Amino acid sequence: MDDEAELWQRARQDDGAAFAALFDLHRARIYGRALALMGSTHEADDIAAAAFFELWRKRRTVPLVAGSVGPWLLVTTVNLSRNARRSTARYRALLRDLPRPEPIAGPHPEDAETSQRLAASLGRLAPVDAALFVLTALEGIPIAAAAQTVGMKPGAARVRLHRARGRLRTELRDLRPRAGTATEGSPS
Amino acid sequence: MTSTDMDPDVSRAVRSELAAIGTKRSRLQRHQRRARLVGVGIGVVVAAGLTTGAAIVVNHFPGSTTVTPLGGLHSATGTGSGELDLGPAPTAATRAVLTVQCLNSVGSISIASVPQAKGQVGDFATFYCAGGGRIDSHGAVDPWHMKDALLPPQGSTSIAITADPGTRWAISGQYASASVTPWGENAKGETYGACNVDGCPDLIGAQATNGKIGFVVIKQMTAVRGSGTVPVYQSDGTTIIGRFAIGDASGQTDVDPSDASTDPPH
């Protein structure tokens, strides 16, 4: 998407309007992913906000994959959610000042359990494996693009993904009937 | 699924912070500048020190900056933006040292600081009071000590305190001078010592995990992604006397949130 590549060029030069536009473009998907991983709206707010703050902090090294910063944001969201308290500490002061609306009705209790179980299992995988799984299995990003996002060759990524899937399948075997509805999120 | 979009108020707040990038209103940028100041110019070294407890030692090395207070102490309290009048500056003064304390848990306080490197413009140091300020282990609010406040502008004797409208603060301070000793140089022609206004030497003073004091090589530090260790050398830049840990060496890796995507293996 040429438009996004152009936006990113401006954003990299500290153009606030371009960052705001990228936020508008990716907010729903990133927030949806953060919510599916964290299961709490407040924590999802923090993780999603921190992912965009990281996008600014790392602007000199963030790669565009298929012309988009979306895959990088997703990987960062997964990594931030692995240890939310520690990983968002850098932005503690900013996050503290965010509005704290009453939590809206949480996910279906079984979905919440699925979220928590999946997040816990992802947390036990190596970061790169968790990222590959989320990008391909949950976000529908082609393996080649996912591999590029995490800086691997597609062949190596396939092997890692295969192992990660096997491990998750074993750990989450009892959740399979509802796993689809809870983990897909609903990126708009 | 229930709602999968951010609450509109939260979204507005985050968006507004991002839109402020590139302007003076950007707290992200002020925050990063403050982190840089505290980090004596090499964030990675200090971050490593903080996460492992292995201290980067900045005192008593060649190149250390010594700050000497001059003249009397002045203080002021205020709510929102205000100023601290330090009176006429002694001729030797090149900066001011301040003690900054939040009196409530609202907003933040920013104060101009001296340039970190020659030829650069000064930065702002930002102190966050929101959330209770900096609280010590006994629950008391700990004041910040700022050793690099910029002198009052020409024709003025006051330092500007920029604070959010509801932020209550108490600040005391005095003029000061700063002096820097020259870096050492080893037989290989490498400089060693502490970072200062002239930048960083080739070898930076650091404490190894075995407690020994020596030097790390900046290039080796910055090459480490996530966690790992680098050698600590004697000032000759050759003799290894220990290791300096970056990240959490116990296996609880302190993963950089974007490492997996930005640092392809080489």
Side-chain angles (χ1 to χ4, degrees), chain B residues 103-244:
Chain B
L103 299 181
N104 63 1
S105 298
V106 177
S108 61
I109 304 164
S110 295
I111 299 169
S113 60
V114 296
Q116 287 176 65
K118 281 178 182 158
Q120 280 188 1
V121 291
D123 280 326
F124 277 92
T126 300
F127 306 100
Y128 294 97
C129 301
R134 200 177 66 160
I135 297 172
D136 70 15
S137 54
H138 304 290
V141 177
D142 218 4
W144 283 279
H145 298 287
M146 181 179 180
K147 290 186 167 182
D148 58 355
L150 197 63
L151 287 176
Q154 200 80 42
S156 165
T157 58
S158 296
I159 287 181
I161 312 296
T162 307
D164 290 316
T167 304
R168 288 176 53 225
W169 47 264
I171 297 178
S172 59
Q174 61 196 125
Y175 288 106
S177 66
S179 60
V180 174
T181 55
W183 288 324
E185 189 173 332
N186 63 23
K188 294 197 285 181
E190 295 165 330
T191 50
Y192 62 88
C195 294
N196 59 36
V197 71
D198 294 319
C200 288
D202 301 316
L203 298 156
I204 305 170
Q207 185 167 25
T209 48
N210 61 12
K212 289 185 182 171
I213 305 282
F215 300 88
V216 291
V217 177
I218 284 196
K219 279 183 186 166
Q220 292 179 345
M221 294 283 299
T222 53
V224 174
R225 303 296 183 188
S227 62
T229 64
V230 292
V232 177
Y233 301 94
Q234 283 181 0
S235 62
D236 63 9
T238 304
T239 313
I240 296 176
I241 57 169
R243 305 289 298 179
F244 184 86

Side-chain angles (χ1 to χ4, degrees), chain A residues 103-119:
Chain A
I104 30 177
H108 184 285
E110 285 183 48
D111 288 349
E113 191 203 339
T114 304
S115 268
Q116 284 166 9
R117 291 274 306 276
L118 176 66

Side-chain angles (χ1 to χ4, degrees), chain A residues 14 16-17 19-20 23-24 27-28 31-32 35 45 48-49 52-54 56-58 61 63 72 75-76 79-80 86 90-91 93-94 96-99 101 104-107 127 149-151 181-182 186, chain B residues 1-7 9-15 17-23 26-29 31-32 107 128-133 248 252-265:
Chain A
D14 280 343
F19 269 105
F23 177 70
D24 294 342
R27 182 199 61 239
Y31 179 78
L35 187 60
D45 286 341
F52 283 95
F53 295 160
E54 285 291 290
W56 170 74
R57 191 171 74 86
K58 296 282 191 138
T61 53
W72 186 92
V75 169
T76 301
N79 288 337
L80 286 168
R86 188 166 60 181
R90 179 188 298 278
Y91 302 109
L94 288 170
R96 258 190 208 141
D97 290 351
L98 288 182
I104 30 177
T149 311
V150 300
T181 56
S186 57
Chain B
M1 286 293 286
T2 47
S3 167
T4 53
D5 204 351
M6 210 176 227
D7 174 88
D9 288 339
V10 180
S11 169
R12 234 183 328 272
V14 176
R15 191 183 194 283
E17 184 55 58
L18 292 167
I21 288 168
T23 71
S26 172
R27 287 177 61 191
L28 271 173
Q29 284 173 304
H31 186 53
Q32 189 182 55
Y128 294 97
C129 301
D248 188 339
Q252 288 286 316
T253 313
D254 192 9
V255 178
D256 189 307
S258 61
D259 262 1
S261 61
T262 57
D263 304 311

